[in-house]
Amino acid sequence: MKENLNPYAISQLQFDQAAHYLKLDPGLAQVLRTPKRQMVVSVPTKMDDGSVKVFEGYRVQHNIARGPAKGGIRYHPNVTLDEVKALAAWMAWKTAVMNLPFGGGKGGVICEPRKMSKGELERMTRRYVSEILPIIGPERDIPAPDVYTDEQTMAWVMDTYSMTVGYSSLGVVTGKPVSLGGSEGRHEATARGCLFVTQEACKGKRMSLRGATVAIQGFGNAGGIAARLFHVAGAKIIAVSDSKGGIHNPRGLDPIKALRYKEKSGSVVGLAGTSKISNPDVLALKCDILIPAALENVITSENASDVKAKIVAEAANGPITPMADDVLARKGVFLLPDILANAGGVTVSYFEWVQDLQNFFWEEDQVNAKLETMMKRAFREVCETSQKYRVNMRVAAYILAIGRVAEATLVRGLFP
Ligand code: NAD
């Protein structure tokens, strides 16, 4: 059977698999599996050569029953409305797994950020924000960084929103620079959260993280920082990769050197003491822990049987398809699903939003300690759900999340 790789179809299949265990009323299930609001905008932008280019952008809010929508903004040539819808749904389930008072949202613009100048990116960002402005705000929908957007992008989002409403609104966006109401620890939060739940999974597997071999696909905010934090925790990073390819050293490589090399040369490929491997080969390496930290659908029914890791931690959103999930489960792989494994980012985004609303800022130690408590609690709750329903960790995480959103929706009642 040909595998359906449409991310929105996949997110709906994942929903249906878990909703089945909750025996939801069909009408309620329909409400929860459908995006609440989808906005498609044109983003006319003056390019450096004086020409005008019109980009297409999206903002989707999947569900806001438990609080404002929350989710990143992605700049990538392959962005589609269906991808943004899937990412928004995943955010709704992620915030619920973590028990944060948020719903799920996501945004994206179809563009080639690596071929655009800083000025072009700034003008495109400001126009995109002014187009989606009617539906965002600290109490409506709070964007954050995602693929190829960063702290600078978030500062432009904050400034554009603030200039339009006429006062400085720190809480409209998270992942901002610390000098502009960002939170200590946010930059590393996704990777740190991934480390905390992987440590718990290692305990469950009775293996030590110290000395465990780790392969990571993607070397940006999620993957690059994970490489450093896992290295510091004593794991042996044997391979990393970026969009240009991967590097491998079975005796271990130094992620800090890889980062410095990438800053100079634009890629990790070519780092002294490593051999070049392809991105698909990174996924098939013999290792204890595999961390896909780039894009969707990298482990499918075609290559899932090649995975040799004991634990797979999804730092990226949607890297494993449902058919691949089944293959990995049959192989006994312990899966840490994206809505748990990469939830550290949105959790510290929540801390950032709370700090912004209170104008009271925390030390990094406080942020990291609270993150650890919340990641471990979520891990425990997903494990308990997995045992109760005798399902894998992904289905368990969805059961926990959908149950929480369903309960909030039921007590609120259907308007009008
Ligand atoms: P980023 O822009 O910082 O980095 C993306 C990385 O992926 C880069 O190293 C890039 O070279 C690499 N890459 C791009 N195309 C690739 C390909 N075809 N093969 C291998 N590598 C490729 O983005 P990020 O924020 O690290 O996001 C990565 C993933 O993590 C996404 O799925 C994102 O949704 C997810 N995520 C990010 C956060 C966050 O806080 N940044 C939070 C939760 C989830």
Side-chain angles (χ1 to χ4, degrees), residues 32-219:
L32 300 183
R33 81 199 287 280
T34 312
K36 175 186 171 61
R37 190 176 277 142
Q38 307 173 43
M39 193 173 193
V40 182
V41 295
S42 291
V43 189
T45 303
K46 186 162 276 175
M47 308 305 279
D48 289 344
D49 65 4
S51 67
V52 171
K53 208 164 167 177
V54 181
F55 298 95
E56 184 157 296
Y58 311 101
R59 187 74 194 170
V60 174
Q61 296 167 353
H62 184 81
N63 185 294
I64 56 167
R66 302 174 76 254
K70 185 87 195 77
I73 297 172
R74 177 173 293 196
Y75 290 168
H76 197 274
N78 299 342
V79 165
T80 62
L81 179 57
D82 271 359
E83 181 188 53
V84 179
K85 280 158 69 178
L87 289 161
W90 288 327
M91 285 307 297
W93 313 132
K94 191 180 304 180
T95 54
V97 164
M98 296 306 300
N99 220 352
L100 306 176
F102 286 137
K106 203 81 180 191
V109 178
I110 307 171
C111 61
E112 275 278 15
R114 284 164 296 177
K115 296 195 179 139
M116 293 168 70
S117 70
K118 192 170 176 189
E120 289 169 342
L121 284 169
E122 176 174 354
R123 292 190 291 276
M124 184 187 78
T125 300
R126 288 183 181 281
R127 183 60 187 252
Y128 167 66
V129 173
S130 70
E131 293 294 342
I132 63 166
L133 204 117
I135 63 166
I136 63 168
E139 280 156 358
R140 292 168 189 264
D141 181 352
I142 305 136
D146 192 74
V147 175
Y148 296 131
T149 56
D150 57 16
E151 294 178 354
Q152 175 62 76
T153 326
M154 299 306 116
W156 293 327
V157 174
M158 179 272 177
D159 185 66
T160 305
Y161 183 87
S162 298
M163 294 310 287
T164 312
V165 296
Y167 53 86
S168 288
S169 173
L170 296 181
V172 65
V173 67
T174 60
K176 301 181 295 297
V178 173
S179 57
L180 193 65
S183 177
E184 297 289 351
R186 172 62 184 90
H187 186 63
E188 298 182 334
T190 303
R192 196 177 294 284
C194 184
L195 173 66
F196 289 143
V197 289
T198 307
Q199 280 168 333
E200 294 305 292
C202 284
K203 284 185 206 156
K205 282 280 219 186
R206 294 184 199 288
M207 58 185 257
S208 171
L209 182 70
R210 189 160 283 280
T213 50
V214 181
I216 304 179
Q217 185 191 57
F219 205 67

Side-chain angles (χ1 to χ4, degrees), residues 149 203 214 231 276 278 293 309 324 333 384 397 401:
T149 56
K203 284 185 206 156
V214 181
H231 174 72
K276 185 173 183 213
S278 71
V333 174
E384 285 164 5

